[in-house]
Amino acid sequence: MALAAIVFAGLCLRLPGIGHPILDHPGWRQGDTAAIARNFAQLRFNIFYPQTTYNGPPPNYVELELQIVPFLSAVVYRAAGVHVWIGRAFTIFFSLGTIVTLAYFGRRLFASAIAGLCAAAFYAVFPGSVYYGRTFMPDTAMVFFLTAALYACDRALADGRPFGWRQVAMPATLLAFAYLAKPVAVVAIVPVCALFVLRYRAGRPTNAGAVATLLIVPALLLGWYDHIVSSHAEWHWASGITSLHVLPSLRQALTSPDALLAKFAAFGNAIGLVRATMFGTAGFVLAIAAFAALAWSRSKNTTVLWSWLAAGLAYVFVVMTVERVDYYAYSLLPLGALAIGGAAARYVSMLRRADVAPAGRWALAALLPLAVVGVAVQGRAAVAPYYHYNVRAYRDAVALGRWLPPAAIIVLGHYGPDVQYYIDRFGWEEDPLLWTPFDEQSAIRKGARYFISVEDNRLRRNLELCAWLQRFPTAGANAAWPVYITDPRRMLPGADRFWRGFRVAERQGRGRAFLDAANVCRVATPGLAQTP
């Protein structure tokens, strides 16, 4: 009953905003995931062919993790229609599954039902767990499979039973799904290896082939999947971020003292982000205190926690110092919950032995549920801005989607797939300050017939592009965002003459003056531009 109450409370905390447009935080990742799910349902129903809506006309296959949540959503879409709350419902399901797993994991690690229930309760209310436990993203599914895999590994490896082919099946399967759900789950290899070392030192019977299977097969499956997807992907996200950003930063830190100091400073900032919006300040303090208590008490059976912590912090140091995104530390939340659960069980055990009147003992025990409530309240305030989204941008995008021809290819002057998802057209999503006339000409040759100036002030600061686009007519004055109809057959009279005049003025340093005199591309007063 206690676990059921915790799960129900966790569900209630995750339901607010389930029907919000995916313009809430993080719009970019949710826009990607939702678009992939819709494209599975409407275009190619094959989990090995995920495709987004950006980077030009379809197909736009992309190199990403195994799309478990989008594909499950697409299965339902084909029967019930496309609704983003369906994807969020699957995320909530995996989040609640993690709560249940932690209850059993904590009970096993600390031989205490209280430890398990406290671990489940704190994970249920951590702000990062609550918020990202209802977003349309792959991370919550990864955390579930990672937690379940480590629980299964601990059950199979940390006791005296033989470890053979029968025992390896479930841990290996869960590890494979964790790796495939999102490769960050490879941090699990550290606690798994630590469990193997403990088992070897204890002289417990172990099948070498089963060990190799657990360590190698999930990694091979990840490599096999990545090879398949990369072979036809046009957009290489995972390998691109790793090779272009993460590894160069690490290499520089290891070869330059100044770069190493800068990386440690960035590491401190990343930990601050983890504290603020993933654990919440109250939860973070409790997690640190819990690990300190576990170290002081020399609790047994916590090797999996300490090795998990080491791997998680190493990941934060290597990756989050480059990509400053708080949910990259999602895998630390179940770890922190388990540590708090263990410390809570020890606290209750001390109360039972303390020479205190029953009323005082109950009063001190009540501090635990009060701590859960405190973490929930403080954490909710920490992530409250994440729930907000631009209602006007949503309505304008949907209206524009109804106005545009069904097969229109667009260039969206907004860097992010969230708005493009609601316009529901393939094309390009680009920062209008960085997009060039040459880029636009290339897009037009590939079929783009509309440039949608969502961030119009940024376009107006890009003098070349803004001047070049004046050759095309725009949609009616009532359009929410300026829409340039970039059909070469509809070029305005005198367009080339205007462009040549601008280029001459630009070479003379009078580009802005030329455009102001023509009363075009004027920068609006700050705060008046319509941006999502």
Side-chain angles (χ1 to χ4, degrees):
M1 289 296 294
L3 179 57
I6 292 170
V7 171
F8 180 73
L11 172 63
C12 293
L13 288 171
R14 285 155 178 76
L15 286 177
I18 189 175
H20 283 180
I22 51 169
L23 299 174
D24 54 6
H25 176 81
W28 179 290
R29 190 66 220 249
Q30 292 193 91
D32 260 356
T33 309
I36 289 169
R38 184 171 63 190
N39 290 336
F40 276 145
Q42 296 179 347
L43 297 177
R44 187 164 189 174
F45 192 63
N46 187 325
I47 200 169
F48 293 102
Y49 286 83
Q51 60 176 312
T52 61
T53 54
Y54 52 82
N55 203 32
N60 291 330
Y61 299 125
V62 63
E63 177 211 48
L64 283 171
E65 60 280 329
L66 183 68
Q67 298 297 297
I68 296 172
V69 170
F71 194 76
L72 291 174
S73 302
V75 172
V76 181
Y77 284 178
R78 289 165 74 92
V82 177
H83 306 283
V84 294
W85 68 262
I86 293 171
R88 284 178 162 157
F90 277 112
T91 297
I92 291 174
F93 171 79
F94 282 114
S95 186
L96 299 181
T98 306
I99 293 173
V100 174
T101 302
L102 285 170
Y104 287 95
F105 201 170
R107 184 176 69 177
R108 171 181 170 77
L109 280 179
F110 302 101
S112 167
I114 290 176
L117 291 174
C118 285
F122 279 98
Y123 181 82
V125 300
F126 283 153
S129 170
V130 170
Y131 184 78
Y132 291 114
R134 38 73 68 198
T135 53
F136 201 168
M137 294 165 58
D139 301 77
T140 299
M142 177 274 294
V143 168
F144 165 74
F145 286 116
L146 171 65
T147 306
L150 289 177
Y151 172 50
C153 288
D154 189 75
R155 280 176 56 91
L157 295 169
D159 57 30
R161 293 177 300 173
F163 182 75
W165 295 110
R166 181 177 299 178
Q167 290 73 32
V168 80
M170 182 59 70
T173 300
L174 290 170
L175 267 183
F177 272 109
Y179 292 179
L180 290 166
K182 199 166 185 181
V184 60
V186 297
V187 297
I189 198 67
V190 176
V192 170
C193 287
L195 289 171
F196 273 125
V197 170
L198 287 180
R199 186 175 183 88
Y200 174 77
R201 287 181 176 177
R204 293 166 182 161
T206 305
N207 184 310
V211 173
T213 298
L214 184 57
L215 293 178
I216 297 173
V217 170
L220 288 177
L221 287 173
L222 174 61
W224 171 73
Y225 168 79
D226 187 66
H227 174 73
I228 291 175
V229 175
S230 296
S231 65
H232 51 253
E234 301 175 46
W235 198 273
H236 292 78
W237 269 116
S239 60
I241 290 175
T242 302
S243 61
L244 298 177
H245 302 287
V246 175
L247 291 180
S249 173
L250 180 61
R251 190 180 305 114
Q252 188 176 16
L254 295 177
T255 56
S256 166
D258 290 340
L260 182 60
L261 288 174
K263 199 165 185 69
F264 272 114
F267 176 72
N269 292 333
I271 293 297
L273 192 62
V274 174
R275 171 197 58 77
T277 57
M278 294 305 289
F279 283 92
T281 299
F284 189 74
V285 170
L286 285 174
I288 291 178
F291 270 105
L294 294 179
W296 177 73
S297 65
R298 298 180 182 178
S299 298
K300 298 179 180 179
N301 303 324
T302 56
T303 299
V304 66
L305 299 186
W306 290 106
S307 52
W308 187 352
L309 177 64
L313 291 178
Y315 180 82
V316 171
F317 180 79
V318 173
V319 177
M320 278 190 67
T321 51
V322 179
E323 298 289 327
R324 195 172 181 270
V325 180
D326 59 359
Y327 60 83
Y328 279 16
Y330 204 160
S331 62
L332 292 175
L333 294 185
L335 168 64
L338 286 169
I340 294 174
R346 181 172 176 80
Y347 172 72
V348 171
S349 177
M350 291 172 60
L351 284 181
R352 286 172 176 167
R353 299 192 304 268
D355 186 15
V356 179
R361 187 178 292 117
W362 281 107
L364 291 171
L367 292 176
L368 286 177
L370 288 175
V372 173
V373 173
V375 170
V377 172
Q378 188 275 321
R380 171 71 186 198
V383 295
Y386 283 5
Y387 289 86
H388 298 161
Y389 67 95
N390 191 320
V391 177
R392 184 175 181 181
Y394 165 68
R395 292 174 179 168
D396 292 345
V398 171
L400 192 54
R402 296 193 185 107
W403 177 81
L404 288 169
I409 305 297
I410 66 172
V411 176
L412 188 71
H414 167 64
Y415 196 48
D418 44 3
V419 172
Q420 189 176 359
Y421 176 82
Y422 287 105
I423 295 175
D424 194 11
R425 298 297 187 278
F426 280 87
W428 292 260
E429 40 86 13
E430 303 291 341
D431 184 343
L433 190 62
L434 303 178
W435 194 244
T436 70
F438 300 105
D439 296 326
E440 182 63 24
Q441 287 174 304
S442 174
I444 290 172
R445 285 194 295 270
K446 296 174 183 176
R449 292 297 178 264
Y450 299 90
F451 182 97
I452 303 168
S453 188
V454 176
E455 299 183 54
D456 197 46
N457 249 9
R458 289 182 70 80
L459 170 65
R460 293 170 185 228
R461 292 189 179 96
N462 185 341
L463 301 187
E464 277 197 349
L465 179 61
C466 191
W468 191 86
L469 284 172
Q470 302 312 306
R471 65 187 55 222
F472 297 111
T474 58
N478 293 327
W481 299 307
V483 179
Y484 294 88
I485 304 172
T486 56
D487 187 337
R489 295 170 299 180
R490 299 189 60 177
M491 196 180 319
L492 297 172
D496 285 331
R497 183 171 63 254
F498 179 85
W499 172 248
R500 288 194 297 271
F502 166 76
R503 294 291 283 170
V504 170
E506 185 184 39
R507 284 193 292 270
Q508 297 172 350
R510 299 186 299 105
R512 169 55 68 189
F514 178 88
L515 296 177
D516 287 346
N519 198 30
V520 296
C521 302
R522 290 183 179 273
V523 177
T525 303
L528 297 182
Q530 297 180 27
T531 59

